[in-house]
Amino acid sequence: MIAQKMITISRRHALHLLGAAATISAAPKLGFATADAVAGRLAEVTNGFSIGDLEIFLDMPEIAENGNQVKIAFEIDSPMTADDHVKAVYVFAEGNPEPDVAQFNFTPAMGACGATTRMRLSKTQKVTVLAAMSNGTFAKADTTVKVTIGGCGG
């Protein structure tokens, strides 16, 4: 067995280390995406084209008791032919550190456009789903999800 010598640190040095650790742990809470960041991403993806009114069926809870796993499911009624299909679906969230949550790519060979996954929401926020169609048009749906702590609903 090899004996290792312990290094002693001063109280001042220990306080500096604790202060640095507290600062680093608080830093992620300072930068959340805003509605402007999501709007910027929408404009970037759509290249300024208008967003149409294709119906997107979005299934998300109104109140999420646990923000670590929030179910999101969407379905888009599309013929999924070579001339008319959904190319991609983007999911954005306003209150997360980054507005981009997920991107799903589709082809006509899939036959249907829909997906289900789970995402993490840091706080009560608006979630937006944007669909890019093969003909260059876009459609979107959004909903607000209230994230509670412990399921109190408050």
mmCIF file of all heavy atoms in Angstrom, residues 53-59 73-80 84-91 104 106 111-115 129-134 137-141:
data_model
loop_
_atom_site.group_PDB
_atom_site.id
_atom_site.type_symbol
_atom_site.label_atom_id
_atom_site.label_comp_id
_atom_site.label_asym_id
_atom_site.label_seq_id
_atom_site.Cartn_x
_atom_site.Cartn_y
_atom_site.Cartn_z
ATOM 1 N N ASP A 53 -51.313 27.490 -42.580
ATOM 2 C CA ASP A 53 -52.227 27.003 -41.548
ATOM 3 C C ASP A 53 -52.536 25.516 -41.688
ATOM 4 O O ASP A 53 -53.645 25.083 -41.440
ATOM 5 C CB ASP A 53 -53.518 27.820 -41.546
ATOM 6 C CG ASP A 53 -54.217 27.809 -42.900
ATOM 7 O OD1 ASP A 53 -53.636 27.291 -43.862
ATOM 8 O OD2 ASP A 53 -55.346 28.320 -42.979
ATOM 9 N N LEU A 54 -51.564 24.710 -42.086
ATOM 10 C CA LEU A 54 -51.734 23.266 -42.110
ATOM 11 C C LEU A 54 -51.979 22.789 -40.679
ATOM 12 O O LEU A 54 -51.346 23.277 -39.739
ATOM 13 C CB LEU A 54 -50.480 22.596 -42.683
ATOM 14 C CG LEU A 54 -50.486 21.075 -42.720
ATOM 15 C CD1 LEU A 54 -51.467 20.590 -43.784
ATOM 16 C CD2 LEU A 54 -49.096 20.557 -43.028
ATOM 17 N N GLU A 55 -52.871 21.853 -40.523
ATOM 18 C CA GLU A 55 -53.220 21.409 -39.176
ATOM 19 C C GLU A 55 -52.186 20.430 -38.634
ATOM 20 O O GLU A 55 -51.908 19.397 -39.243
ATOM 21 C CB GLU A 55 -54.607 20.765 -39.172
ATOM 22 C CG GLU A 55 -55.134 20.553 -37.791
ATOM 23 C CD GLU A 55 -56.618 20.244 -37.785
ATOM 24 O OE1 GLU A 55 -57.271 20.348 -38.826
ATOM 25 O OE2 GLU A 55 -57.105 19.879 -36.720
ATOM 26 N N ILE A 56 -51.610 20.771 -37.502
ATOM 27 C CA ILE A 56 -50.663 19.915 -36.798
ATOM 28 C C ILE A 56 -51.327 19.481 -35.500
ATOM 29 O O ILE A 56 -51.744 20.317 -34.705
ATOM 30 C CB ILE A 56 -49.344 20.654 -36.497
ATOM 31 C CG1 ILE A 56 -48.676 21.091 -37.793
ATOM 32 C CG2 ILE A 56 -48.410 19.772 -35.682
ATOM 33 C CD1 ILE A 56 -47.433 21.938 -37.585
ATOM 34 N N PHE A 57 -51.420 18.180 -35.284
ATOM 35 C CA PHE A 57 -51.994 17.656 -34.051
ATOM 36 C C PHE A 57 -50.859 17.513 -33.046
ATOM 37 O O PHE A 57 -49.996 16.663 -33.184
ATOM 38 C CB PHE A 57 -52.687 16.315 -34.300
ATOM 39 C CG PHE A 57 -53.793 16.399 -35.310
ATOM 40 C CD1 PHE A 57 -53.576 16.001 -36.623
ATOM 41 C CD2 PHE A 57 -55.031 16.900 -34.958
ATOM 42 C CE1 PHE A 57 -54.583 16.086 -37.564
ATOM 43 C CE2 PHE A 57 -56.045 16.990 -35.899
ATOM 44 C CZ PHE A 57 -55.820 16.583 -37.201
ATOM 45 N N LEU A 58 -50.885 18.363 -32.025
ATOM 46 C CA LEU A 58 -49.821 18.410 -31.024
ATOM 47 C C LEU A 58 -50.374 17.905 -29.697
ATOM 48 O O LEU A 58 -51.382 18.412 -29.205
ATOM 49 C CB LEU A 58 -49.313 19.845 -30.885
ATOM 50 C CG LEU A 58 -48.180 20.121 -29.919
ATOM 51 C CD1 LEU A 58 -46.948 19.318 -30.290
ATOM 52 C CD2 LEU A 58 -47.855 21.602 -29.920
ATOM 53 N N ASP A 59 -49.727 16.899 -29.142
ATOM 54 C CA ASP A 59 -50.169 16.302 -27.881
ATOM 55 C C ASP A 59 -49.099 16.540 -26.822
ATOM 56 O O ASP A 59 -48.045 15.915 -26.845
ATOM 57 C CB ASP A 59 -50.415 14.804 -28.072
ATOM 58 C CG ASP A 59 -50.906 14.129 -26.801
ATOM 59 O OD1 ASP A 59 -51.448 14.823 -25.920
ATOM 60 O OD2 ASP A 59 -50.756 12.893 -26.695
ATOM 61 N N ALA A 73 -45.832 14.708 -28.531
ATOM 62 C CA ALA A 73 -46.193 13.885 -29.678
ATOM 63 C C ALA A 73 -46.869 14.786 -30.701
ATOM 64 O O ALA A 73 -47.628 15.678 -30.344
ATOM 65 C CB ALA A 73 -47.139 12.756 -29.259
ATOM 66 N N PHE A 74 -46.554 14.565 -31.964
ATOM 67 C CA PHE A 74 -47.201 15.332 -33.027
ATOM 68 C C PHE A 74 -47.541 14.403 -34.178
ATOM 69 O O PHE A 74 -46.928 13.350 -34.346
ATOM 70 C CB PHE A 74 -46.311 16.489 -33.511
ATOM 71 C CG PHE A 74 -45.036 16.044 -34.158
ATOM 72 C CD1 PHE A 74 -44.992 15.729 -35.510
ATOM 73 C CD2 PHE A 74 -43.875 15.943 -33.421
ATOM 74 C CE1 PHE A 74 -43.817 15.323 -36.104
ATOM 75 C CE2 PHE A 74 -42.699 15.536 -34.006
ATOM 76 C CZ PHE A 74 -42.671 15.223 -35.354
ATOM 77 N N GLU A 75 -48.543 14.823 -34.925
ATOM 78 C CA GLU A 75 -48.966 14.088 -36.109
ATOM 79 C C GLU A 75 -49.451 15.109 -37.123
ATOM 80 O O GLU A 75 -50.183 16.043 -36.779
ATOM 81 C CB GLU A 75 -50.084 13.119 -35.745
ATOM 82 C CG GLU A 75 -50.396 12.115 -36.816
ATOM 83 C CD GLU A 75 -51.389 11.076 -36.324
ATOM 84 O OE1 GLU A 75 -51.211 10.559 -35.203
ATOM 85 O OE2 GLU A 75 -52.348 10.811 -37.070
ATOM 86 N N ILE A 76 -49.019 14.949 -38.357
ATOM 87 C CA ILE A 76 -49.392 15.871 -39.423
ATOM 88 C C ILE A 76 -50.050 15.068 -40.525
ATOM 89 O O ILE A 76 -49.484 14.080 -41.014
ATOM 90 C CB ILE A 76 -48.165 16.634 -39.959
ATOM 91 C CG1 ILE A 76 -47.507 17.412 -38.819
ATOM 92 C CG2 ILE A 76 -48.555 17.555 -41.102
ATOM 93 C CD1 ILE A 76 -46.174 18.018 -39.161
ATOM 94 N N ASP A 77 -51.253 15.480 -40.900
ATOM 95 C CA ASP A 77 -51.990 14.797 -41.956
ATOM 96 C C ASP A 77 -51.442 15.245 -43.303
ATOM 97 O O ASP A 77 -51.704 16.358 -43.755
ATOM 98 C CB ASP A 77 -53.489 15.112 -41.842
ATOM 99 C CG ASP A 77 -54.323 14.253 -42.760
ATOM 100 O OD1 ASP A 77 -53.848 13.181 -43.159
ATOM 101 O OD2 ASP A 77 -55.459 14.660 -43.077
ATOM 102 N N SER A 78 -50.642 14.382 -43.914
ATOM 103 C CA SER A 78 -50.008 14.686 -45.192
ATOM 104 C C SER A 78 -50.080 13.447 -46.077
ATOM 105 O O SER A 78 -49.948 12.321 -45.584
ATOM 106 C CB SER A 78 -48.546 15.080 -44.968
ATOM 107 O OG SER A 78 -47.871 15.203 -46.196
ATOM 108 N N PRO A 79 -50.263 13.624 -47.402
ATOM 109 C CA PRO A 79 -50.328 12.448 -48.285
ATOM 110 C C PRO A 79 -49.004 11.685 -48.353
ATOM 111 O O PRO A 79 -48.982 10.520 -48.707
ATOM 112 C CB PRO A 79 -50.689 13.029 -49.645
ATOM 113 C CG PRO A 79 -50.653 14.488 -49.526
ATOM 114 C CD PRO A 79 -50.520 14.861 -48.095
ATOM 115 N N MET A 80 -47.896 12.325 -48.011
ATOM 116 C CA MET A 80 -46.563 11.724 -48.027
ATOM 117 C C MET A 80 -46.233 11.086 -49.379
ATOM 118 O O MET A 80 -45.748 9.971 -49.464
ATOM 119 C CB MET A 80 -46.402 10.718 -46.881
ATOM 120 C CG MET A 80 -46.494 11.340 -45.492
ATOM 121 S SD MET A 80 -45.316 12.670 -45.157
ATOM 122 C CE MET A 80 -43.839 11.760 -44.818
ATOM 123 N N ASP A 84 -45.799 15.863 -52.492
ATOM 124 C CA ASP A 84 -46.420 16.534 -51.349
ATOM 125 C C ASP A 84 -46.148 15.728 -50.083
ATOM 126 O O ASP A 84 -46.841 14.750 -49.796
ATOM 127 C CB ASP A 84 -47.930 16.679 -51.583
ATOM 128 C CG ASP A 84 -48.603 17.481 -50.486
ATOM 129 O OD1 ASP A 84 -47.902 18.148 -49.706
ATOM 130 O OD2 ASP A 84 -49.845 17.439 -50.423
ATOM 131 N N HIS A 85 -45.125 16.143 -49.340
ATOM 132 C CA HIS A 85 -44.802 15.466 -48.084
ATOM 133 C C HIS A 85 -44.145 16.441 -47.115
ATOM 134 O O HIS A 85 -43.729 17.530 -47.500
ATOM 135 C CB HIS A 85 -43.891 14.252 -48.324
ATOM 136 C CG HIS A 85 -42.531 14.597 -48.847
ATOM 137 N ND1 HIS A 85 -42.274 14.791 -50.176
ATOM 138 C CD2 HIS A 85 -41.357 14.804 -48.197
ATOM 139 C CE1 HIS A 85 -41.000 15.084 -50.348
ATOM 140 N NE2 HIS A 85 -40.414 15.103 -49.156
ATOM 141 N N VAL A 86 -44.067 16.020 -45.877
ATOM 142 C CA VAL A 86 -43.396 16.801 -44.838
ATOM 143 C C VAL A 86 -41.914 16.426 -44.878
ATOM 144 O O VAL A 86 -41.563 15.256 -44.790
ATOM 145 C CB VAL A 86 -43.986 16.502 -43.444
ATOM 146 C CG1 VAL A 86 -43.255 17.275 -42.368
ATOM 147 C CG2 VAL A 86 -45.469 16.817 -43.411
ATOM 148 N N LYS A 87 -41.057 17.437 -45.051
ATOM 149 C CA LYS A 87 -39.614 17.182 -45.100
ATOM 150 C C LYS A 87 -38.999 17.114 -43.710
ATOM 151 O O LYS A 87 -38.190 16.248 -43.424
ATOM 152 C CB LYS A 87 -38.890 18.270 -45.907
ATOM 153 C CG LYS A 87 -39.151 18.210 -47.378
ATOM 154 C CD LYS A 87 -38.315 19.166 -48.214
ATOM 155 C CE LYS A 87 -37.577 20.233 -47.511
ATOM 156 N NZ LYS A 87 -36.832 21.146 -48.375
ATOM 157 N N ALA A 88 -39.375 18.065 -42.856
ATOM 158 C CA ALA A 88 -38.761 18.135 -41.531
ATOM 159 C C ALA A 88 -39.725 18.774 -40.542
ATOM 160 O O ALA A 88 -40.585 19.572 -40.919
ATOM 161 C CB ALA A 88 -37.469 18.940 -41.577
ATOM 162 N N VAL A 89 -39.571 18.399 -39.290
ATOM 163 C CA VAL A 89 -40.348 18.993 -38.201
ATOM 164 C C VAL A 89 -39.344 19.428 -37.127
ATOM 165 O O VAL A 89 -38.491 18.647 -36.710
ATOM 166 C CB VAL A 89 -41.374 18.004 -37.620
ATOM 167 C CG1 VAL A 89 -42.071 18.602 -36.414
ATOM 168 C CG2 VAL A 89 -42.387 17.612 -38.678
ATOM 169 N N TYR A 90 -39.453 20.677 -36.714
ATOM 170 C CA TYR A 90 -38.566 21.263 -35.711
ATOM 171 C C TYR A 90 -39.363 21.525 -34.436
ATOM 172 O O TYR A 90 -40.510 21.952 -34.492
ATOM 173 C CB TYR A 90 -37.991 22.591 -36.203
ATOM 174 C CG TYR A 90 -37.246 22.495 -37.518
ATOM 175 C CD1 TYR A 90 -37.927 22.619 -38.721
ATOM 176 C CD2 TYR A 90 -35.874 22.289 -37.546
ATOM 177 C CE1 TYR A 90 -37.248 22.533 -39.937
ATOM 178 C CE2 TYR A 90 -35.193 22.214 -38.747
ATOM 179 C CZ TYR A 90 -35.881 22.334 -39.936
ATOM 180 O OH TYR A 90 -35.209 22.251 -41.124
ATOM 181 N N VAL A 91 -38.726 21.318 -33.284
ATOM 182 C CA VAL A 91 -39.346 21.597 -31.989
ATOM 183 C C VAL A 91 -38.478 22.645 -31.286
ATOM 184 O O VAL A 91 -37.268 22.466 -31.150
ATOM 185 C CB VAL A 91 -39.454 20.330 -31.125
ATOM 186 C CG1 VAL A 91 -40.100 20.650 -29.784
ATOM 187 C CG2 VAL A 91 -40.238 19.247 -31.857
ATOM 188 N N PHE A 104 -36.845 16.422 -36.616
ATOM 189 C CA PHE A 104 -37.222 15.138 -37.197
ATOM 190 C C PHE A 104 -37.263 15.295 -38.713
ATOM 191 O O PHE A 104 -37.881 16.233 -39.216
ATOM 192 C CB PHE A 104 -38.594 14.691 -36.698
ATOM 193 C CG PHE A 104 -38.673 14.534 -35.200
ATOM 194 C CD1 PHE A 104 -39.068 15.595 -34.396
ATOM 195 C CD2 PHE A 104 -38.348 13.336 -34.600
ATOM 196 C CE1 PHE A 104 -39.140 15.461 -33.023
ATOM 197 C CE2 PHE A 104 -38.418 13.189 -33.225
ATOM 198 C CZ PHE A 104 -38.818 14.251 -32.434
ATOM 199 N N PHE A 106 -38.275 13.551 -42.474
ATOM 200 C CA PHE A 106 -39.201 12.575 -43.035
ATOM 201 C C PHE A 106 -38.987 12.440 -44.540
ATOM 202 O O PHE A 106 -38.528 13.381 -45.189
ATOM 203 C CB PHE A 106 -40.651 12.986 -42.752
ATOM 204 C CG PHE A 106 -40.995 13.022 -41.295
ATOM 205 C CD1 PHE A 106 -40.879 14.194 -40.563
ATOM 206 C CD2 PHE A 106 -41.404 11.878 -40.638
ATOM 207 C CE1 PHE A 106 -41.181 14.237 -39.214
ATOM 208 C CE2 PHE A 106 -41.703 11.899 -39.283
ATOM 209 C CZ PHE A 106 -41.588 13.083 -38.574
ATOM 210 N N GLY A 111 -44.537 7.073 -45.279
ATOM 211 C CA GLY A 111 -45.975 6.869 -45.362
ATOM 212 C C GLY A 111 -46.808 7.697 -44.410
ATOM 213 O O GLY A 111 -47.992 7.886 -44.631
ATOM 214 N N ALA A 112 -46.235 8.157 -43.313
ATOM 215 C CA ALA A 112 -46.964 8.975 -42.341
ATOM 216 C C ALA A 112 -45.975 9.911 -41.661
ATOM 217 O O ALA A 112 -44.775 9.650 -41.628
ATOM 218 C CB ALA A 112 -47.658 8.105 -41.301
ATOM 219 N N CYS A 113 -46.512 10.988 -41.123
ATOM 220 C CA CYS A 113 -45.664 11.965 -40.445
ATOM 221 C C CYS A 113 -46.127 12.098 -39.005
ATOM 222 O O CYS A 113 -47.191 12.664 -38.735
ATOM 223 C CB CYS A 113 -45.735 13.320 -41.152
ATOM 224 S SG CYS A 113 -44.754 14.574 -40.322
ATOM 225 N N GLY A 114 -45.342 11.578 -38.106
ATOM 226 C CA GLY A 114 -45.646 11.680 -36.692
ATOM 227 C C GLY A 114 -44.490 11.158 -35.870
ATOM 228 O O GLY A 114 -43.690 10.344 -36.348
ATOM 229 N N ALA A 115 -44.378 11.623 -34.649
ATOM 230 C CA ALA A 115 -43.313 11.164 -33.757
ATOM 231 C C ALA A 115 -43.716 11.441 -32.316
ATOM 232 O O ALA A 115 -44.541 12.318 -32.041
ATOM 233 C CB ALA A 115 -41.992 11.855 -34.071
ATOM 234 N N VAL A 129 -43.875 23.831 -32.529
ATOM 235 C CA VAL A 129 -43.552 22.796 -33.512
ATOM 236 C C VAL A 129 -43.712 23.429 -34.892
ATOM 237 O O VAL A 129 -44.767 23.972 -35.212
ATOM 238 C CB VAL A 129 -44.477 21.569 -33.357
ATOM 239 C CG1 VAL A 129 -44.237 20.560 -34.460
ATOM 240 C CG2 VAL A 129 -44.273 20.931 -31.998
ATOM 241 N N LEU A 130 -42.660 23.349 -35.706
ATOM 242 C CA LEU A 130 -42.655 23.923 -37.053
ATOM 243 C C LEU A 130 -42.442 22.808 -38.057
ATOM 244 O O LEU A 130 -41.502 22.026 -37.938
ATOM 245 C CB LEU A 130 -41.536 24.962 -37.195
ATOM 246 C CG LEU A 130 -41.360 25.586 -38.575
ATOM 247 C CD1 LEU A 130 -42.505 26.541 -38.875
ATOM 248 C CD2 LEU A 130 -40.032 26.299 -38.672
ATOM 249 N N ALA A 131 -43.326 22.717 -39.063
ATOM 250 C CA ALA A 131 -43.224 21.692 -40.104
ATOM 251 C C ALA A 131 -42.812 22.344 -41.419
ATOM 252 O O ALA A 131 -43.400 23.344 -41.833
ATOM 253 C CB ALA A 131 -44.560 20.985 -40.276
ATOM 254 N N ALA A 132 -41.798 21.782 -42.072
ATOM 255 C CA ALA A 132 -41.339 22.244 -43.382
ATOM 256 C C ALA A 132 -41.853 21.254 -44.428
ATOM 257 O O ALA A 132 -41.556 20.064 -44.368
ATOM 258 C CB ALA A 132 -39.824 22.310 -43.420
ATOM 259 N N MET A 133 -42.620 21.757 -45.378
ATOM 260 C CA MET A 133 -43.216 20.911 -46.411
ATOM 261 C C MET A 133 -42.307 20.848 -47.641
ATOM 262 O O MET A 133 -41.455 21.713 -47.846
ATOM 263 C CB MET A 133 -44.597 21.452 -46.791
ATOM 264 C CG MET A 133 -45.528 21.681 -45.610
ATOM 265 S SD MET A 133 -45.831 20.188 -44.667
ATOM 266 C CE MET A 133 -46.849 19.312 -45.827
ATOM 267 N N SER A 134 -42.515 19.853 -48.487
ATOM 268 C CA SER A 134 -41.689 19.669 -49.679
ATOM 269 C C SER A 134 -41.891 20.771 -50.712
ATOM 270 O O SER A 134 -41.003 21.041 -51.511
ATOM 271 C CB SER A 134 -41.981 18.311 -50.316
ATOM 272 O OG SER A 134 -43.341 18.245 -50.712
ATOM 273 N N THR A 137 -43.528 25.412 -48.249
ATOM 274 C CA THR A 137 -44.389 26.076 -47.275
ATOM 275 C C THR A 137 -44.081 25.552 -45.875
ATOM 276 O O THR A 137 -43.424 24.527 -45.708
ATOM 277 C CB THR A 137 -45.882 25.854 -47.600
ATOM 278 O OG1 THR A 137 -46.153 24.461 -47.569
ATOM 279 C CG2 THR A 137 -46.232 26.433 -48.961
ATOM 280 N N PHE A 138 -44.600 26.269 -44.890
ATOM 281 C CA PHE A 138 -44.368 25.915 -43.498
ATOM 282 C C PHE A 138 -45.672 25.989 -42.727
ATOM 283 O O PHE A 138 -46.590 26.717 -43.105
ATOM 284 C CB PHE A 138 -43.354 26.876 -42.861
ATOM 285 C CG PHE A 138 -41.989 26.784 -43.467
ATOM 286 C CD1 PHE A 138 -41.641 27.590 -44.534
ATOM 287 C CD2 PHE A 138 -41.067 25.890 -42.977
ATOM 288 C CE1 PHE A 138 -40.379 27.516 -45.105
ATOM 289 C CE2 PHE A 138 -39.806 25.801 -43.535
ATOM 290 C CZ PHE A 138 -39.460 26.608 -44.603
ATOM 291 N N ALA A 139 -45.744 25.239 -41.643
ATOM 292 C CA ALA A 139 -46.891 25.290 -40.740
ATOM 293 C C ALA A 139 -46.357 25.177 -39.323
ATOM 294 O O ALA A 139 -45.292 24.604 -39.089
ATOM 295 C CB ALA A 139 -47.863 24.165 -41.033
ATOM 296 N N LYS A 140 -47.095 25.741 -38.358
ATOM 297 C CA LYS A 140 -46.634 25.642 -36.976
ATOM 298 C C LYS A 140 -47.798 25.487 -36.023
ATOM 299 O O LYS A 140 -48.935 25.847 -36.327
ATOM 300 C CB LYS A 140 -45.769 26.827 -36.583
ATOM 301 C CG LYS A 140 -46.519 28.068 -36.197
ATOM 302 C CD LYS A 140 -45.573 29.105 -35.611
ATOM 303 C CE LYS A 140 -46.402 30.268 -35.113
ATOM 304 N NZ LYS A 140 -45.668 31.206 -34.323
ATOM 305 N N ALA A 141 -47.474 24.944 -34.870
ATOM 306 C CA ALA A 141 -48.423 24.820 -33.762
ATOM 307 C C ALA A 141 -47.630 25.082 -32.490
ATOM 308 O O ALA A 141 -46.439 24.770 -32.418
ATOM 309 C CB ALA A 141 -49.045 23.434 -33.724
#
